[in-house]
Amino acid sequence: MTDSANYPNHPDSATTGHPVAAERPSTVEGAFWAFIASTVLGLVGGVLIFASRDAIAAALRDSTRRSGGTLTDAQIDQAVNITMIVALVIAVIIAALYLLFAFKLRAGRNWARIVLTVITALQLISLLAGQSTVLGYVSVAAAVVGVILSFLTPSNAYFAAAARIR
């Protein structure tokens, strides 16, 4: 693998005086697309929660009435709307960061691989500790596949070569 024309110790780097960029292996490409899929599935799951808006509001109304609360139906509807919008905004921000880390991973940044591994571990713990949807399970499974692919031997060589180039 180190004899490839795209690795820094290739003879072309000696003739030009500049290291040649490492060729991205299929394991890194696969990890990148697994993280993209995980992000998209997570966003779809976040958007689908809006389909449950009425059920969430009804459950909150029942809970409020049983506990002797004094919230009106309008206040409950407003609280549900605000909560859902805030949750969606947070999900979009997290997805944007996740995408940033995925693109940095694709570019050979080892720190991004570590950050994505930590985030995936947190997602897995969250999934195991609470309830989730089918999309949640599939999203975490895609992220786990991405982590595994990002630590396979070709990926390790790619990250090491990218670090040498910088």
Side-chain angles (χ1 to χ4, degrees), residues 9-160:
N9 61 351
H10 187 270
D12 287 347
S13 64
T15 59
T16 63
H18 301 289
V20 178
E23 183 177 323
R24 188 178 311 116
S26 60
T27 54
V28 172
E29 275 297 309
F32 169 77
W33 286 109
F35 287 122
I36 296 296
S38 177
T39 304
V40 169
L41 290 168
L43 281 175
V44 168
V47 169
L48 287 180
I49 198 162
F50 281 98
S52 304
R53 187 212 169 285
D54 292 337
I56 293 169
L60 186 56
R61 274 188 199 91
D62 291 343
S63 174
T64 301
R65 287 188 182 116
R66 276 186 297 214
S67 66
T70 59
L71 292 176
T72 66
D73 285 346
Q75 289 171 323
I76 290 172
D77 286 339
Q78 185 178 20
V80 169
N81 288 339
I82 291 171
T83 302
M84 293 180 85
I85 290 169
V86 168
L88 184 62
V89 168
I90 290 170
V92 168
I93 291 169
I94 290 170
L97 289 171
Y98 209 69
L99 289 175
L100 171 71
F101 300 144
F103 277 98
K104 292 297 183 178
L105 170 121
R106 192 178 196 202
R109 302 294 196 262
N110 190 53
W111 63 264
R113 176 170 67 160
I114 293 166
V115 168
L116 286 167
T117 301
V118 169
I119 292 171
T120 300
L122 293 172
Q123 282 180 305
L124 188 57
I125 291 167
S126 173
L127 185 73
L128 296 175
Q131 296 179 2
S132 186
T133 63
V134 171
L135 277 177
Y137 285 106
V138 175
S139 175
V140 171
V144 168
V145 168
V147 168
I148 292 169
L149 288 172
S150 72
F151 281 95
L152 293 178
T153 302
S155 298
N156 290 336
Y158 172 72
F159 287 105

